[in-house]
Amino acid sequence: MDFVISDEQQQLRDSLQKYITKEYGFEARKAIIASKQGFSDKVWAQFAEMGILGVAFDEAHGGFGGTSVDTMLVMNELGRGIVVEPYFSTVVLGGSLIDLAGSEAQKQAVLSEVAQGKLLLAAALGEPNSRYELNCVETTAKRDGAGYVLDGHKAVVLHGESADKLVVSARTAGGARDAKGISLFLVDKKSAGVAVQGYRTIDGMRAAEIKFAKVKVGADAVLGEVDAALPVLERASDFAVTALCAEAVGAMEALNAATFEYLKTRQQFGRPIGSFQALQHRAVDMMIHCEQSRSLALLASIKVQSEDPNERKRTVSAAKIHIGRSGRVIGEEAIQLHGGMGVSNELAAGHYAKRLAMINATLGDVEHHAERFASAA
Amino acid sequence: MDLNYTKEEQAFREEVRSFVSENLPKDISDKVLHHKRLVKDDWVRWQKILYKKGWVAPNWPKEYGGCAWSPIQQHIFDEECGYLGAPRVMPFGLVMVAPVIQNFGSKWQKEYYLPRILSSEDWWAQGYSEPGSGSDLASVKTKAQFVKSAQGDHYIVDGQKTWTTLGQYANMIFCLVRTDTTVKKQEGISFLLIDMTSPGVTVRPIITLDEEHEVNEVFFDNVKVPAENMVGEAGKGWTYAKFLLGHERTGIARVGESKRELEQLKAIATKQLRNGKPLMEDPRFRDRVTDVEVELMALEITLLRVLSSRTKPGPEASILKIKGTDIQQALTELTMEAVGPYALPFRPEARAGDWKGEPVGPAYAGSAAAVYFNYRKTSIYGGSNEIQRNIISQMVLGL
């Protein structure tokens, strides 16, 4: 039992934290969100230079051979800064899908480009009718000579508009909800027949509806085994959920710190409002929510690598359940304790609350994971 | 970072598990597992078994006969014992007063009391709370007047303690007493060890909501206590009391017991039916069980984080008290709800270990409501959960 991170991990965290504190303040973030593409090339290039874009990939694929804990440390810092760059979609979810499913050649071609900041990915998994069910795939991929033709509609694809390549789940066999018959494809977004409708998300990021109409891809576009992608999707999704949990804990920390600071400085009735016990106890409960969430996020960051799929699913879902609930509580309480300022878009607090609420709506909410937790017993 | 137990820790867990499984008397674990009434002999027998093995005082330094286990080992031991249905080692002597004597007591106190605590020869009670001082402990009124005498210097103690857990079994009690009324309230308190068989000590039961006799009032009327029974210096009692509370907080998470109760709850909810299907498969009920289970998983890691930190548990350990008791209470609540209308029949006689009667309804239902009401105490004792929030607010958040 050892909760201590290595010196290298400490260094990685410190340098990222320093950079975000210095260069990614509230005003800088606001300008980035308002820009046309919704994130900063400059920040992205800096991330590449710091090595965080390849932190989890093998050295053979241009990465740094880090562990899942390294990814979680990065996500924790990105959460503290509510960073909107497409790290989650490109490196965490897109990257791990390729890492888990891709051939050696695909990994070398794609992951090294990602690590250098030259290539952006997006995972096109969800559909209008799928909610959070990875097995619910109506998009089809039909054999066409040596390759395939894709047709369908992928919903709320995070950073789908800016991505260069899309990892798409499509049905090569079976019915819309069958576990078998799902395959993964790596599709160039510029391919003929790909229509992208990009939009903002309420938490300051970007997403897109992506429609595929008779999109032709070659046999080399297939990632992994045909008809058997679901276990890989689940593993990658568990890794991504764990990363979201780490991000959420970072956001909770920062939001709690801002709220407690406000309680100490805001004066009413001639005294700081933090001197009122009614508010003190609510603040303590926010802190407890954060610490309990942190415990499960840490546990998930280790157990996500478990060889036992039930242990992996249970731990990751437990963390997501807790973070979903605690993120909501902390977000709502932070807004309430900030009073009128809490509902102003000019204060960071509300933006943390937005991100925390949207993390709950990404890759499975509390109810989804509660059901999964029970079924993995 | 590695959140798996080391090989050595796993081997230690196996060692504890096999020892407890083989040596814990079945009549005792049956009582614990089925929420029957424990009596003095049950605790003493188990403590003597642990004493013989050398495991009764995990928290003590080796020089006094302790195990000098690491905090993680202590946790593993607590967890296994709790999980397997061992009665909790009575904390008042072994966990509470002993560290105070070890750190602040006289040579005589160490030599006389520590071996008797270790061998369970003495049963200690805690004399902190008074009718007028519950959460505000520093307001104690029980008075100890110093008397210089040729036959031996002593104190005369007058006053009342209350909520004295299992005081009916105790022959010794450690008390916070007021020795000086002229100074600031924290500075006039002393820490006194009192023989409960002394003339002038009266113990009166307080019957709790489950109609059990677990707590008492203890009255002191002109009780003569030898001056050598004062721990450390007069007027320093508050410092010692705070030191003692620091020793109490981490064991209070009760992870092992809660894991055991969670399993029992699931077993009960699998036998109980709703709409012809196991209650455990009902999404409404199942989600509530899941919420508790998730909190318990988190608490275990939070506890391990506290235990693994290189510094002594600080005020953040109050989280363990708050969350640990939240979980214990939620489990008793769900268990009571799981048995449905069979929560109503109340037959205290059925809680005796040797009761041979026919249960009303399923055997597991018999004590569900009584335990639920008994466990309301957990968020009140050991510093109420509101006091714990005050501690975190002031000492951790700086509000």
Side-chain angles (χ1 to χ4, degrees):
Chain A
M1 199 57 59
D2 173 18
F3 291 87
V4 182
I5 57 173
S6 69
D7 289 347
E8 289 79 15
Q9 288 170 331
Q10 185 77 47
Q11 248 168 27
L12 172 78
R13 183 163 82 180
D14 289 350
S15 60
L16 184 55
Q17 194 173 88
K18 217 167 109 189
Y19 174 73
I20 291 172
T21 310
K22 192 155 161 267
E23 307 288 339
Y24 213 91
F26 186 65
E27 291 305 318
R29 178 179 179 272
K30 210 160 93 178
I32 291 170
I33 291 171
S35 70
K36 188 163 176 296
Q37 69 172 6
F39 68 91
S40 159
D41 290 326
K42 205 180 111 204
V43 171
W44 197 249
Q46 189 60 39
F47 284 177
E49 188 151 314
M50 293 168 83
I52 69 168
L53 299 185
V55 73
F57 307 145
D58 267 5
E59 285 167 37
H61 308 134
F64 293 88
T67 65
S68 54
V69 174
D70 297 84
T71 300
M72 303 315 150
L73 288 173
V74 171
M75 287 300 288
N76 193 259
E77 293 309 318
L78 299 183
R80 291 172 63 91
I82 29 176
V83 170
V84 298
E85 273 59 27
Y87 190 85
F88 174 74
S89 55
T90 292
V91 180
V92 177
L93 188 52
S96 64
L97 280 166
I98 293 188
D99 208 11
L100 290 169
S103 66
E104 194 54 35
Q106 285 167 326
K107 286 190 219 180
Q108 270 180 16
V110 177
L111 296 183
S112 63
E113 298 263 289
V114 168
Q116 293 170 60
K118 292 180 187 162
L119 185 78
L120 296 177
L121 302 173
L125 308 178
E127 298 188 354
N129 294 325
S130 72
R131 271 184 88 81
Y132 305 116
E133 292 148 41
L134 296 167
N135 61 303
C136 189
V137 177
E138 294 180 47
T139 297
T140 56
K142 297 210 171 86
R143 286 302 296 219
D144 175 49
Y148 291 85
V149 176
L150 272 62
D151 283 280
H153 177 177
K154 290 293 178 180
V156 200
V157 178
L158 296 175
H159 294 286
E161 194 173 16
S162 58
D164 301 302
K165 287 183 188 293
L166 306 167
V167 180
V168 184
S169 62
R171 193 155 282 290
T172 37
R177 299 179 46 80
D178 287 353
K180 282 214 171 117
I182 301 166
S183 307
L184 283 177
F185 297 89
L186 186 62
V187 181
D188 203 310
K189 202 191 62 194
K190 293 201 198 81
S191 310
V194 176
V196 178
Q197 180 210 344
Y199 44 79
R200 295 172 55 207
T201 60
I202 195 163
D203 54 358
M205 301 205 190
R206 300 294 169 99
E209 300 299 293
I210 303 184
K211 290 181 179 153
F212 298 84
K214 298 196 174 66
V215 177
K216 283 178 188 264
V217 297
D220 58 348
V222 177
L223 284 169
E225 211 182 315
V226 174
D227 289 347
L230 190 59
V232 170
L233 275 174
E234 286 194 343
R235 267 186 74 186
S237 170
D238 275 341
F239 182 73
V241 166
T242 307
L244 285 174
C245 289
E247 181 191 352
V249 171
M252 289 177 193
E253 283 166 17
L255 181 52
N256 275 352
T259 305
F260 303 158
E261 190 52 39
Y262 187 78
L263 291 179
K264 285 177 205 172
T265 46
R266 170 73 176 168
Q267 301 270 330
Q268 288 286 273
F269 308 102
R271 52 201 271 206
I273 59 172
S275 65
F276 297 109
Q277 197 180 38
L279 303 193
Q280 289 175 348
H281 285 196
R282 289 166 73 169
V284 170
D285 286 339
M286 292 167 76
M287 179 258 203
I288 294 177
H289 271 287
C290 179
E291 291 308 321
Q292 288 278 88
S293 283
R294 186 199 313 280
S295 288
L296 284 175
L298 288 171
L299 186 66
S301 74
I302 300 294
K303 299 290 185 192
V304 72
Q305 304 291 2
S306 171
E307 296 298 323
D308 172 2
N310 270 346
E311 185 185 39
R312 185 195 81 215
K313 288 180 194 176
R314 271 174 66 76
T315 316
V316 171
S317 284
K320 192 68 161 61
I321 292 167
H322 202 280
I323 269 132
R325 282 210 204 295
S326 295
R328 189 68 61 80
V329 170
I330 288 172
E332 288 172 1
E333 288 290 80
I335 291 173
Q336 180 68 22
L337 297 189
H338 274 88
M341 290 305 290
V343 295
S344 157
N345 216 31
E346 291 305 308
L347 208 72
H351 295 263
Y352 281 98
K354 288 179 185 179
R355 180 63 190 142
L356 285 167
M358 292 310 111
I359 283 176
N360 183 48
T362 307
L363 294 181
D365 57 10
V366 171
E367 288 187 0
H368 173 86
H369 283 282
E371 197 169 354
R372 191 169 180 259
F373 179 83
S375 66
Chain B
M1 191 164 76
D2 184 3
L3 273 55
N4 297 301
Y5 287 100
T6 63
K7 277 205 172 62
E8 292 75 23
E9 286 162 350
Q10 285 174 31
F12 177 73
R13 185 184 289 280
E14 284 309 314
E15 188 189 351
V16 172
R17 186 173 296 176
S18 66
F19 177 80
V20 175
S21 306
E22 284 160 28
N23 293 280
L24 175 61
K26 193 170 176 307
D27 64 306
I28 298 180
S29 63
D30 275 352
K31 284 186 183 178
V32 173
L33 296 174
H34 302 121
H35 299 112
K36 301 272 185 181
R37 186 178 303 119
L38 278 96
V39 294
K40 181 174 185 174
D41 175 65
D42 298 322
W43 278 287
V44 172
R45 249 193 306 152
W46 175 234
Q47 286 179 192
K48 285 190 167 164
I49 291 167
L50 289 176
Y51 170 58
K52 229 179 107 196
K53 174 76 179 165
W55 283 2
V56 78
N59 57 316
W60 290 23
K62 265 222 152 76
E63 51 175 311
Y64 297 116
C67 307
W69 285 341
S70 72
I72 300 285
Q73 283 179 305
Q74 284 186 48
H75 161 69
I76 291 171
F77 179 74
D78 284 348
E79 192 186 350
E80 288 301 318
C81 286
Y83 186 74
L84 294 166
R88 196 164 64 105
V89 164
M90 272 299 121
F92 309 110
L94 286 156
V95 181
M96 295 181 177
V97 77
V100 174
I101 293 176
Q102 285 160 10
N103 281 276
F104 308 108
S106 67
K107 188 164 176 288
W108 171 79
Q109 286 165 352
K110 290 178 193 173
E111 285 172 2
Y112 182 75
Y113 287 117
L114 294 179
R116 297 168 65 90
I117 292 173
L118 213 52
S119 65
S120 296
E121 195 168 341
D122 287 335
W123 183 300
W124 284 80
Q126 180 185 35
Y128 271 25
S129 298
E130 295 184 3
S133 65
S135 292
D136 178 14
L137 212 52
S139 70
V140 292
K141 287 201 174 61
T142 295
K143 231 170 49 187
Q145 182 105 44
F146 182 69
V147 179
K148 207 155 177 54
S149 153
Q151 285 82 45
D153 295 349
H154 59 268
Y155 289 89
I156 294 295
V157 179
D158 284 285
Q160 184 195 343
K161 294 291 173 181
T162 192
W163 309 120
T164 314
T165 301
L166 300 179
Q168 71 267 36
Y169 297 150
N171 64 313
M172 289 297 300
I173 183 167
F174 58 92
C175 288
L176 292 183
V177 293
R178 189 156 301 284
T179 41
D180 190 346
T181 51
T182 63
V183 292
K184 227 179 86 183
K185 64 178 183 178
Q186 284 86 352
E187 287 163 13
I189 296 172
S190 301
F191 198 100
L192 203 55
L193 313 177
I194 303 177
D195 185 338
M196 287 183 74
T197 62
S198 313
V201 179
T202 315
V203 179
R204 209 162 68 193
I206 300 174
I207 301 304
T208 45
L209 295 175
D210 52 355
E211 295 189 8
E212 293 294 322
H213 176 196
E214 193 175 86
V215 284
N216 302 272
E217 296 177 289
V218 180
F219 298 88
F220 299 91
D221 179 17
N222 206 24
V223 176
K224 190 173 162 185
V225 181
E228 63 190 14
N229 277 28
M230 165 83 67
V231 173
E233 289 173 52
K236 288 274 172 70
W238 186 245
T239 313
Y240 308 150
K242 280 195 298 186
F243 169 85
L244 181 159
L245 287 174
H247 276 257
E248 196 190 357
R249 281 200 201 100
T250 50
I252 218 151
R254 304 277 189 93
V255 169
E257 282 98 328
S258 287
K259 281 187 178 177
R260 180 188 80 213
E261 293 300 324
L262 175 67
E263 262 183 32
Q264 287 194 1
L265 166 63
K266 285 180 178 175
I268 290 170
T270 305
K271 289 184 194 128
Q272 292 283 319
L273 301 181
R274 177 183 279 168
N275 295 324
K277 279 193 286 190
L279 180 60
M280 203 51 214
E281 287 170 22
D282 178 287
R284 282 191 206 95
F285 191 83
R286 193 192 62 201
D287 280 357
R288 292 172 64 201
V289 177
T290 293
D291 278 346
V292 181
E293 184 165 4
V294 167
E295 285 293 341
L296 180 57
M297 286 170 76
L299 181 68
E300 183 172 12
I301 299 297
T302 304
L303 170 64
L304 289 166
R305 280 166 53 202
V306 171
L307 294 178
S308 303
S309 78
R310 278 149 205 194
T311 51
K312 263 196 171 284
E316 68 275 10
S318 290
I319 295 176
L320 305 174
K321 163 70 183 5
I322 295 172
K323 268 299 152 192
T325 55
D326 274 358
I327 290 166
Q328 291 163 44
Q329 290 183 335
L331 288 169
T332 64
E333 186 181 325
L334 286 167
T335 304
M336 177 175 72
E337 288 184 35
V339 304
Y342 274 117
L344 274 77
F346 179 58
R347 299 208 295 165
E349 68 277 11
R351 298 189 72 188
D354 55 0
W355 186 72
K356 296 278 187 287
E358 194 61 33
V360 174
Y364 54 71
S367 48
V371 173
Y372 162 77
F373 282 110
N374 181 277
Y375 266 59
R376 305 317 298 166
K377 71 190 174 189
T378 61
S379 51
I380 300 164
Y381 68 31
S384 73
N385 287 12
E386 286 70 27
I387 289 292
Q388 305 295 339
R389 285 184 171 85
N390 288 350
I391 291 171
I392 297 175
S393 167
Q394 283 150 30
M395 318 263 288
V396 183
L397 306 185
L399 295 176

